[in-house]
Amino acid sequence: MNKLLGSIEEAVRACGLRDGMTISFHHHLRGGDYVLNLVMEAIAAQGIHDLTINASAIQDGHGPLGAHIRNKVVTGIEANFIGPVIGRVISEGHLERPVIFRTHGGRASDIDDGTSHIDVAFIAAPSADERGNCNGILGPSACGSLGYAMPDARHADKVVVITDNLMPYPLSPISISEADVDYVVRVDKIGDPAGIATGSTKLTRDPVALRIASQASRVIEASGLLRDGFSFQTGAGGASLAVAGMLTETMVAGKIHGSYALGGTTGYLVDMLEAGCFEKLLDVQCFDLKAIASLRENPRHVEISASQYAGPKSKSCAADGLDVVLLGATQIDTDFNVNVHTDSNGRIIGGSGGHSDVAACAKLTIIVAPLSRARLPIVVDHVLTTSTPGDTVDVLVTQAGVAVNPKRGDLIERLRAAKLPLVSIESLRELAERQCGVPRPAALSDRVVGRVLYRDGKVIDTIYGVQ
Amino acid sequence: MNKLLGSIEEAVRACGLRDGMTISFHHHLRGGDYVLNLVMEAIAAQGIHDLTINASAIQDGHGPLGAHIRNKVVTGIEANFIGPVIGRVISEGHLERPVIFRTHGGRASDIDDGTSHIDVAFIAAPSADERGNCNGILGPSACGSLGYAMPDARHADKVVVITDNLMPYPLSPISISEADVDYVVRVDKIGDPAGIATGSTKLTRDPVALRIASQASRVIEASGLLRDGFSFQTGAGGASLAVAGMLTETMVAGKIHGSYALGGTTGYLVDMLEAGCFEKLLDVQCFDLKAIASLRENPRHVEISASQYAGPKSKSCAADGLDVVLLGATQIDTDFNVNVHTDSNGRIIGGSGGHSDVAACAKLTIIVAPLSRARLPIVVDHVLTTSTPGDTVDVLVTQAGVAVNPKRGDLIERLRAAKLPLVSIESLRELAERQCGVPRPAALSDRVVGRVLYRDGKVIDTIYGVQ
């Protein structure tokens, strides 16, 4: 048994990769990931074409993928998120087959039950041993949790672990087991540490974001859910993180002992854990160095798989029954439908990630968003793309007021009693339009460039190309 | 979502268990397990028949299973080990279909790849939360690793966790995930702590066993394998444990830093870990309280699944490339074939467990055994049942000398140079017969009561009933 190969090229050959197959990647190295580019370069050099990439996310560091799309090395992409760089390539019609967008939970479940078959999974591993045991918490490219890669490792026909930190056998902790790994390749660097753990995790000083955060905190307090046993997920946007800071004060002052926070984790959730706001952090992905260090050192900070995070076909998942989630929006319409896939021109700039998963699972789903960004209204008549259906969204908090989904009469009463500035979502839409004007409709082509699958696998929307 | 049910009866009904299905159990609670009996009682009370039990082991605490066999509630058993109490029931011909014996690794791999389908897995969990996250290291019935239950949890259609220590959600560490668990039942007690962690883990004072241990230690030292990076597995028999103690002294004195020990772990392996003899303990099963405490507290003591322990169809396993394993024998013949399934009367009294797995994987497989037990020779012409084929056994160490498999000429030279008392295995057989006489051949019936599958799934031997 010798799994340790000399290069990615060798691993590609050893796996028998050929035209038409599906390969997979995870995005825990975020903007700092080198592995997708290294693998695609090796594959392209071998003259292989017509591949489908199934990735938890395509990041803006994956620019070279554009050339592989144009050269038909890659003709299909399935992902939960696609950043603007490759999003533009797809929106302009260069990818042969429409992108399939899933959610983080949906992707995991589709891999788990065989709906998505993966021929070869390439797993960027911050630490690995020569037989493939690996984790994300040790090494110079530490990224924290490897949760999104776990379903791939379990089910792919072939699994290649790529690391820049080869450690003596047996490595522990074991996030992905040698039992599932075919080959191991050592490279100089799997990623840029600065890109792995930067991003939107600095606390905002923007007064609009702080005002939104303050109102969102009041909504949570007024909801009746902020009590012993409280569970919570927040995004990594400025307002969302500011809410975490405000909630910490409230919970500590009120001696409220929550149950767990779920993430996508940041240092702000770690602070809450350490302040006693929560018993546990369940972690499918780390956003910053403090979260990575905490996962390494604090036994109450627990790595979980994407299947356990939010898999709709899992027997249960951590998202089930969450009390409160805070989420962002690129657009939200007067039916509370949220778009996080396309910008107002119709270009692909993101994806659901776990957005629609946790919105569906939580007792209270709060969207925090300013009325407008770059003079474009965020509250609109109809979202260009439905990422998260409005019937799973309860509240929109903007700087100009709080709109509650009319189906949540109970919540309206509670928030009114707490004297929150309740407004109708239509009035927020009007205000946004008054401030920004009504933007020209996006100029779209007839070409379908993407399909958005809801977490249950059904097509919830179709994305057209831009002209 | 409410997985927490009021009784095992309810869980049996909720799983839709019916005639002809296969249910599974793990044996981490060893002689102290109550769960198999509780579940079978609930099933029998519902009038269900013709079940197959697929268990990692059937222990002597499972005596009530005899009645379920006679009443045709259970008509098939697949197991890696069956103790004498139920072994006798089977050997006397009461089980409708022949037992299928597997190895620990073979069972895991057959579950992993679907060869063995499990309809409902019942998992005794020393700690669990209401959604089914569970581990074996916390609670009054702590048993340590849950490694043998992991393939069952991954692949069974329905998974029921049975615990006597329900803890707040989310429990951690997570050995088995809520994502795989359908139902949770709380019972008063899942087992008898005294039976969970007793057994053969006391150091022997028997002079014969100590002499065998001393020779076995010398064999290991002379083999050339006892050097930095050394890896090791030992059983829980008296001589095997004594070897661990002797090796500790040698390794500490010689400043030899081993890589890992694999187990079935006891306090003696924990002592070796703590003394710096090994970097890691990889643990599929704990035998005593010290091992359980170490798994709970020492991050270098790592729980692994049965698939990672020894799965022949895993992409690799920890047993692969082990330097040295020490194993026992009920009989060993002059071709070095070992029997651990049947006694000299042909009655089922055990099974391979991991015996033939690690024998196949290790560089040096040593059988430690006295020449005779209870005036019955252990070294014989032909074993009654082949559990582990002789071509995977390298050395037999008895109190009367050391016999090396003739195919290991290299080893013979090394041991001769170290002045070990080498003898032929035939001479040991003769000596054993001189001491004990040649026993009467076992009086067997024509009825096939068991088939022994080697780790590759092929039938390596057939077990006949006793008259």
Side-chain angles (χ1 to χ4, degrees):
Chain A
M1 177 198 46
N2 184 12
K3 296 184 180 182
L4 191 61
L5 302 183
S7 67
I8 294 174
E9 288 73 9
E10 238 180 279
V12 168
R13 275 192 296 271
C15 290
L17 189 72
R18 55 176 198 276
D19 292 2
M21 281 187 163
T22 296
I23 61 178
S24 86
F25 299 93
H26 68 87
H27 75 285
H28 291 286
L29 301 181
R30 293 163 44 88
D33 176 51
Y34 292 166
V35 166
L36 185 145
N37 294 340
L38 289 169
V39 169
M40 291 314 305
E41 197 181 323
I43 288 172
Q46 292 182 32
I48 298 169
H49 283 84
D50 198 22
L51 294 179
T52 298
I53 289 180
N54 182 333
S56 51
I58 302 290
Q59 308 275 350
D60 279 354
H62 297 145
L65 181 55
H68 302 305
I69 290 171
R70 290 167 205 265
N71 294 335
K72 311 293 179 204
V73 175
V74 175
T75 53
I77 294 179
E78 310 186 10
N80 311 335
F81 179 99
I82 299 179
V85 170
I86 296 301
R88 183 182 191 112
V89 176
I90 295 165
S91 288
E92 289 176 354
H94 297 291
L95 184 67
E96 195 151 303
R97 289 171 281 134
V99 163
I100 295 173
F101 278 109
R102 288 191 180 80
T103 69
H104 282 330
R107 178 181 188 270
S109 280
D110 279 357
I111 293 172
D112 285 340
D113 80 348
T115 301
S116 298
H117 177 81
I118 296 170
D119 294 294
V120 186
F122 294 95
I123 295 177
S127 285
D129 65 34
E130 64 184 17
R131 296 191 194 175
N133 292 303
C134 57
N135 68 49
I137 61 173
L138 304 173
S141 306
C143 64
S145 175
L146 292 182
Y148 293 125
M150 291 179 183
D152 307 46
R154 257 201 196 194
H155 298 289
D157 287 347
K158 299 284 178 183
V159 175
V160 180
V161 162
I162 299 171
T163 189
D164 55 9
N165 190 45
L166 197 65
M167 294 183 72
Y169 181 89
L171 171 72
S172 68
I174 300 168
S175 297
I176 287 169
S177 160
E178 64 174 305
D180 293 325
V181 176
D182 293 274
Y183 302 108
V184 178
V185 177
R186 190 165 67 83
V187 296
D188 284 343
K189 285 196 78 58
I190 59 167
D192 171 11
I196 294 169
T198 52
S200 44
T201 58
K202 290 181 201 78
L203 212 49
T204 183
R205 291 184 181 181
D206 170 24
V208 170
L210 288 173
R211 173 155 174 77
I212 293 170
S214 157
Q215 301 290 20
S217 297
R218 287 185 58 207
V219 168
I220 295 171
E221 289 176 48
S223 72
L225 294 166
L226 189 64
R227 63 204 180 309
D228 284 353
F230 179 63
S231 58
F232 181 56
Q233 173 169 335
T234 184
S240 301
L241 293 178
V243 171
M246 294 170 188
L247 273 188
T248 308
E249 283 179 36
T250 308
M251 292 180 77
V252 169
K255 295 193 166 51
I256 298 167
H257 300 289
S259 165
Y260 67 103
L262 186 59
T265 55
T266 62
Y268 302 96
L269 286 182
V270 171
D271 289 340
M272 295 185 85
L273 178 71
E274 293 176 355
C277 299
F278 297 109
E279 282 299 311
K280 301 278 170 72
L281 272 190
L282 300 184
D283 196 341
V284 70
Q285 177 186 19
C286 296
F287 287 133
D288 61 24
L289 291 173
K290 190 165 177 174
I292 296 166
S294 169
L295 183 63
R296 186 166 50 232
E297 288 151 25
N298 189 338
R300 296 192 296 124
H301 187 158
V302 182
E303 182 180 39
I304 58 172
S305 72
S307 311
Q308 181 164 7
Y309 166 50
K313 292 183 250 185
S314 291
K315 290 173 176 179
S316 70
C317 63
D320 288 335
L322 262 177
D323 284 322
V324 175
V325 296
L326 279 173
L327 298 166
T330 308
Q331 294 181 315
I332 179 167
D333 69 22
T334 50
D335 291 324
F336 289 86
N337 298 308
V338 175
N339 171 19
V340 288
H341 277 89
T342 51
D343 68 13
S344 57
N345 296 315
R347 278 209 184 81
I348 292 167
I349 45 90
S352 182
H355 197 287
S356 56
D357 288 312
V358 294
C361 293
K363 298 190 186 80
L364 174 60
T365 298
I366 302 172
I367 304 294
V368 287
L371 281 183
S372 62
R373 279 193 201 99
R375 303 215 51 79
L376 288 165
I378 287 176
V379 192
V380 296
D381 243 347
H382 294 288
V383 288
L384 202 53
T385 308
T386 298
S387 310
T388 296
D391 62 1
T392 65
V393 172
D394 300 301
V395 181
L396 166 65
V397 178
T398 71
Q399 72 271 42
V402 174
V404 182
N405 192 324
K407 71 164 191 160
R408 291 298 305 271
D410 57 323
L411 194 61
I412 293 170
E413 279 174 37
R414 282 178 172 274
L415 302 192
R416 185 173 291 141
K419 302 199 189 317
L420 275 148
L422 299 191
V423 294
S424 73
I425 195 160
E426 289 79 9
S427 71
L428 292 173
R429 193 255 303 152
E430 284 162 23
L431 185 58
E433 284 181 1
R434 271 209 302 280
Q435 289 177 356
C436 308
V438 179
R440 279 179 307 182
L444 300 178
S445 72
D446 290 339
R447 182 186 171 113
V448 173
V449 299
R451 292 198 173 85
V452 181
L453 304 194
Y454 191 54
R455 65 197 306 256
D456 61 4
K458 297 207 179 78
V459 176
I460 188 176
D461 212 341
T462 300
I463 301 176
Y464 291 89
V466 295
Q467 286 182 342
Chain B
M1 175 197 50
N2 184 12
K3 296 184 180 182
L4 190 61
L5 302 183
S7 67
I8 294 174
E9 288 73 8
E10 241 181 274
V12 168
R13 275 192 296 271
C15 290
L17 189 71
R18 56 176 197 275
D19 292 3
M21 282 187 164
T22 297
I23 61 179
S24 86
F25 299 93
H26 69 85
H27 74 284
H28 291 287
L29 301 182
R30 294 163 45 86
D33 176 50
Y34 292 165
V35 166
L36 185 144
N37 294 341
L38 289 170
V39 169
M40 292 314 305
E41 196 181 325
I43 288 172
Q46 291 181 33
I48 298 169
H49 284 85
D50 198 21
L51 295 178
T52 298
I53 289 180
N54 182 331
S56 51
I58 301 291
Q59 309 275 349
D60 279 354
H62 296 145
L65 181 55
H68 301 305
I69 290 172
R70 290 169 204 262
N71 294 335
K72 311 294 179 202
V73 175
V74 175
T75 53
I77 294 179
E78 310 187 10
N80 312 335
F81 179 100
I82 299 179
V85 169
I86 295 302
R88 182 183 192 114
V89 175
I90 295 165
S91 288
E92 290 176 354
H94 298 290
L95 184 68
E96 194 152 303
R97 289 171 282 135
V99 164
I100 296 173
F101 276 108
R102 288 190 179 81
T103 69
H104 282 330
R107 177 180 189 271
S109 280
D110 278 357
I111 294 172
D112 285 340
D113 81 347
T115 301
S116 298
H117 177 80
I118 296 169
D119 293 294
V120 186
F122 293 94
I123 295 178
S127 285
D129 65 35
E130 63 183 18
R131 296 192 194 175
N133 293 303
C134 58
N135 69 48
I137 61 174
L138 304 173
S141 306
C143 63
S145 176
L146 292 182
Y148 293 125
M150 291 178 182
D152 308 45
R154 257 202 195 194
H155 299 288
D157 287 347
K158 299 285 179 183
V159 175
V160 179
V161 162
I162 299 171
T163 190
D164 55 10
N165 189 46
L166 197 65
M167 294 184 71
Y169 181 88
L171 171 73
S172 69
I174 300 169
S175 297
I176 288 170
S177 160
E178 64 173 304
D180 293 325
V181 176
D182 294 275
Y183 302 108
V184 179
V185 177
R186 189 165 68 82
V187 296
D188 285 342
K189 287 197 76 58
I190 60 168
D192 171 12
I196 295 169
T198 53
S200 43
T201 58
K202 291 181 200 78
L203 211 50
T204 183
R205 291 183 181 182
D206 169 25
V208 171
L210 288 173
R211 173 157 173 75
I212 292 169
S214 156
Q215 300 290 19
S217 297
R218 287 185 58 206
V219 169
I220 295 170
E221 289 178 48
S223 72
L225 295 166
L226 189 64
R227 62 204 181 310
D228 284 351
F230 179 63
S231 57
F232 182 56
Q233 173 170 333
T234 184
S240 300
L241 293 177
V243 171
M246 292 169 188
L247 272 187
T248 308
E249 284 179 35
T250 308
M251 292 178 77
V252 169
K255 295 193 167 50
I256 297 167
H257 300 288
S259 166
Y260 67 103
L262 186 59
T265 55
T266 62
Y268 302 96
L269 286 181
V270 171
D271 288 341
M272 295 185 84
L273 179 72
E274 292 176 355
C277 299
F278 298 108
E279 281 299 311
K280 302 278 169 71
L281 272 190
L282 300 184
D283 196 340
V284 69
Q285 177 186 18
C286 296
F287 287 135
D288 61 24
L289 291 173
K290 191 166 179 174
I292 296 166
S294 169
L295 182 64
R296 185 166 50 231
E297 288 151 24
N298 190 339
R300 296 192 295 122
H301 187 159
V302 182
E303 182 180 39
I304 58 172
S305 71
S307 312
Q308 182 164 5
Y309 166 52
K313 293 184 249 186
S314 291
K315 290 172 177 181
S316 70
C317 63
D320 289 334
L322 261 177
D323 284 322
V324 175
V325 296
L326 278 174
L327 298 166
T330 307
Q331 295 180 315
I332 179 167
D333 69 22
T334 50
D335 291 324
F336 288 86
N337 299 309
V338 175
N339 171 19
V340 287
H341 278 87
T342 50
D343 67 13
S344 57
N345 296 316
R347 278 209 183 81
I348 292 167
I349 45 90
S352 183
H355 197 287
S356 56
D357 288 311
V358 295
C361 292
K363 298 190 185 81
L364 174 59
T365 298
I366 301 172
I367 303 294
V368 287
L371 281 183
S372 63
R373 280 192 200 99
R375 303 214 53 79
L376 287 166
I378 287 176
V379 192
V380 296
D381 242 347
H382 294 290
V383 288
L384 201 54
T385 307
T386 299
S387 311
T388 295
D391 62 0
T392 64
V393 172
D394 300 300
V395 181
L396 166 66
V397 179
T398 70
Q399 73 270 42
V402 175
V404 182
N405 191 322
K407 72 164 190 158
R408 291 297 307 270
D410 58 323
L411 193 61
I412 292 169
E413 278 175 36
R414 282 179 173 274
L415 301 193
R416 185 173 290 141
K419 301 199 189 316
L420 274 147
L422 298 191
V423 293
S424 72
I425 195 161
E426 289 79 9
S427 71
L428 291 174
R429 193 256 304 153
E430 284 163 21
L431 186 56
E433 285 181 0
R434 271 209 302 280
Q435 289 177 355
C436 307
V438 179
R440 277 181 307 183
L444 300 179
S445 72
D446 290 340
R447 182 185 170 113
V448 173
V449 299
R451 292 199 172 83
V452 181
L453 304 194
Y454 191 53
R455 65 197 304 258
D456 61 4
K458 297 207 179 78
V459 176
I460 189 177
D461 212 340
T462 301
I463 299 176
Y464 291 89
V466 295
Q467 286 180 341

